[in-house]
Amino acid sequence: MSSRTRRMTTAVAGAAAICMLAACSSGGSTSSSAGGGTTSSPASSASPSVSVVAGGSCSGNATKVLFWAWVPGMGRAVTEFNKTHPNICVTQEDVGAGNPEYVAITNALKAGSGAPDVAEVEFDELPSFEVTKNVVNLVPYGANTYKSTFTPWAWDEVSQGSGVYAMPGDAGPMAFYYNTKELAKYGITPPTTWAEFATDAAKLHQANPNAYMTNFSAIDLQWVMSLMAQDNAWPFAYSGGSNVTINWTGPKQMAFASYWQNLLAAHEVNATTDVSATSFADLDKGIDASWLSSAWGPSYFAPDAKTSLGDWRAAPLPQWTAGANVAANWGGSTYPVFSQSKHPKEAAEFAEWLNATDASWNITKTAPSSLFPTYLPLLNSSSYKNITVPLSGSSTPGTQFTAAASQIQGVPWPPFMTEALTQSATVFAGVMNGKQTLQTAFKNFQNVLVNYAKAQGFTVSTG
């Protein structure tokens, strides 16, 4: 799923930090082997609060595969796989969404047993498991067969060199999601450039000091970084190994921070936590006239939409250069096989079926999962593009989201996003309450991450 899960779980302090270069080796994991032994059973899971979702009862002859995931309704796909693959029995457990699951996986890898064979891992978290060599290269198990069926950017983000370390799953292409009645009230049409966006934000707020063009949530790091990527201001470079670039203070990064800080200082954008009861109420009441959101956003806003139900439409994100067509992605998950697995072949077969077949996507595209695909056969189908949702009336917002999906450029996530997410809530808090500028927060965040990365044994470049 995506970063939406981070707002629905309590971040674990320090996230029991994923083992880094200086902290531990990958020696806690066992070598991958296609033969012998059994995987961890549900009873040996690494979390005391396990919920068995599907496949809890397996025949004695089937190869047992343990799967951790939190997507609602995913058990429907697991049940279908087990029914059509009688020689493999997948048991799905939910040990918590996002950080709780990552902590449980890390603890099991350190202990040498108890890790799942396959798990849901967000795009931004995958490098943390790659750097410690705790995920299996899926190429020997046929992963490259499916390369052409995925968006190139998603495939790039699960690959390092000639290796493929997870199957890409869902994604979160972004769009300018707006309330038609509110924009019409102020004589505004969806802006095509960020310069127009700023002008419109000033116009709207001047007309109604209690309303805003949109919300800017500085503490929602993945959201901020998604917008930075669209501005060619991505703050990291990493391609595996011990070298990493951390750059929150370069010219592009500071220009991005300055743009949004000017809007914040003028109170022309709102400053509340995104994907929250407050932000959804602001959207529904017309306090925020638009939302820079992901394809999964409308399904989360819909239950809170009362007066504005049916009024929302999607348009492309504004562009930094007029006439350009640069998209952004916010969220999404991958499905790696962990090196502790005693049945990587069968685990890989499940991960590939789950993410690269019509049979699986025909299930997970529907509620309550409602996953947005990186799988091209579904992404390119007219029936999927033209789905209607109550929030947008008779319009088809998926047309804009699917168009954006093909324009996304992959980004190199650093191998310590858990730490970055944990620290960001504190570092950016002052921006939310107006006591600190976004530029200052970027500079402070740079120092925090550089110090952390060096302490973990990385060689850090800052430019």
Side-chain angles (χ1 to χ4, degrees), residues 120-133:
E120 177 182 358
V121 174
E122 292 161 292
F123 280 103
D124 62 311
E125 294 287 348
L126 183 62
S128 296
F129 294 106
E130 290 174 337
V131 73
T132 53
K133 304 186 188 306

Side-chain angles (χ1 to χ4, degrees), residues 274-350:
D274 203 8
V275 192
S276 65
T278 299
S279 66
F280 290 150
D282 287 350
L283 290 168
D284 192 44
K285 295 174 183 177
I287 294 173
D288 293 343
S290 68
W291 188 21
L292 304 172
S293 189
S294 167
W296 49 259
S299 65
Y300 271 63
F301 172 30
D304 293 271
K306 304 295 188 296
T307 60
S308 66
L309 190 68
D311 296 338
W312 292 85
R313 302 291 184 268
L317 281 181
Q319 299 292 307
W320 293 99
T321 301
N325 187 15
V326 182
N329 182 70
W330 178 24
S333 293
T334 73
Y335 294 83
V337 173
F338 287 90
S339 55
Q340 203 177 89
S341 174
K342 293 181 173 66
H343 300 293
K345 178 178 179 294
E346 290 80 4
E349 183 176 349
F350 168 67

Side-chain angles (χ1 to χ4, degrees), residues 70-354:
W70 63 79
V71 172
M74 182 68 82
R76 299 172 299 158
V78 172
T79 299
E80 178 65 18
F81 178 86
N82 288 342
K83 184 168 65 176
T84 55
H85 298 74
N87 295 326
I88 304 173
C89 183
V90 177
T91 294
Q92 181 191 344
E93 296 178 348
D94 183 351
V95 301
N99 285 348
E101 184 200 83
Y102 305 143
V103 171
I105 292 172
T106 302
N107 289 342
L109 293 170
K110 287 180 181 180
S113 65
D117 297 278
V118 183
E120 177 182 358
V121 174
E122 292 161 292
F123 280 103
D124 62 311
E125 294 287 348
L126 183 62
S128 296
F129 294 106
E130 290 174 337
V131 73
T132 53
K133 304 186 188 306
N134 279 313
V135 286
V136 173
N137 180 5
L138 300 180
V139 170
Y141 305 108
N144 277 334
T145 304
Y146 303 100
K147 180 178 180 179
S148 63
T149 63
F150 289 94
T151 57
W153 73 266
W155 196 261
D156 287 346
E157 288 200 15
V158 298
S159 305
Q160 278 193 13
S162 60
V164 177
Y165 294 95
M167 292 298 291
D170 65 309
M174 296 180 72
F176 178 79
Y177 205 52
Y178 65 99
N179 185 323
T180 52
K181 291 182 179 178
E182 288 302 315
L183 288 196
K185 183 189 302 183
Y186 302 106
I188 295 171
T189 57
T192 60
T193 68
W194 287 109
E196 291 174 6
F197 179 93
T199 299
D200 290 340
K203 176 182 178 180
L204 187 155
H205 191 64
Q206 183 176 19
N208 182 355
N210 296 315
Y212 307 88
M213 185 68 164
T214 197
N215 178 49
F216 186 87
S217 181
I219 60 170
D220 285 299
L221 182 63
Q222 291 164 310
W223 179 82
V224 171
M225 289 174 61
S226 296
L227 294 177
M228 292 175 72
Q230 199 232 2
D231 189 22
N232 193 31
W234 189 253
F236 298 107
Y238 182 69
S239 58
S242 61
N243 297 316
V244 63
T245 297
I246 304 172
N247 184 8
W248 287 81
T249 58
K252 291 292 293 184
Q253 290 76 22
M254 285 290 101
F256 174 90
S258 178
Y259 173 89
W260 286 104
Q261 181 57 44
N262 288 339
L263 293 173
L264 286 165
H267 302 290
E268 291 166 355
V269 292
N270 204 352
T272 57
T273 303
D274 203 8
V275 192
S276 65
T278 299
S279 66
F280 290 150
D282 287 350
L283 290 168
D284 192 44
K285 295 174 183 177
I287 294 173
D288 293 343
S290 68
W291 188 21
L292 304 172
S293 189
S294 167
W296 49 259
S299 65
Y300 271 63
F301 172 30
D304 293 271
K306 304 295 188 296
T307 60
S308 66
L309 190 68
D311 296 338
W312 292 85
R313 302 291 184 268
L317 281 181
Q319 299 292 307
W320 293 99
T321 301
N325 187 15
V326 182
N329 182 70
W330 178 24
S333 293
T334 73
Y335 294 83
V337 173
F338 287 90
S339 55
Q340 203 177 89
S341 174
K342 293 181 173 66
H343 300 293
K345 178 178 179 294
E346 290 80 4
E349 183 176 349
F350 168 67
E352 290 164 2
W353 179 90
L354 182 66

Side-chain angles (χ1 to χ4, degrees), residues 388-407:
T388 60
V389 296
L391 198 61
S392 292
S394 61
S395 71
T396 55
T399 304
Q400 294 297 339
F401 287 117
T402 55
S406 64
Q407 301 299 325

Side-chain angles (χ1 to χ4, degrees), residues 218-219 221 248 424-432 436 438 441-442 445:
I219 60 170
L221 182 63
W248 287 81
S424 64
T426 301
V427 174
F428 289 95
V431 179
M432 300 290 286
Q436 181 176 252
L438 193 57
F442 272 26
F445 202 45

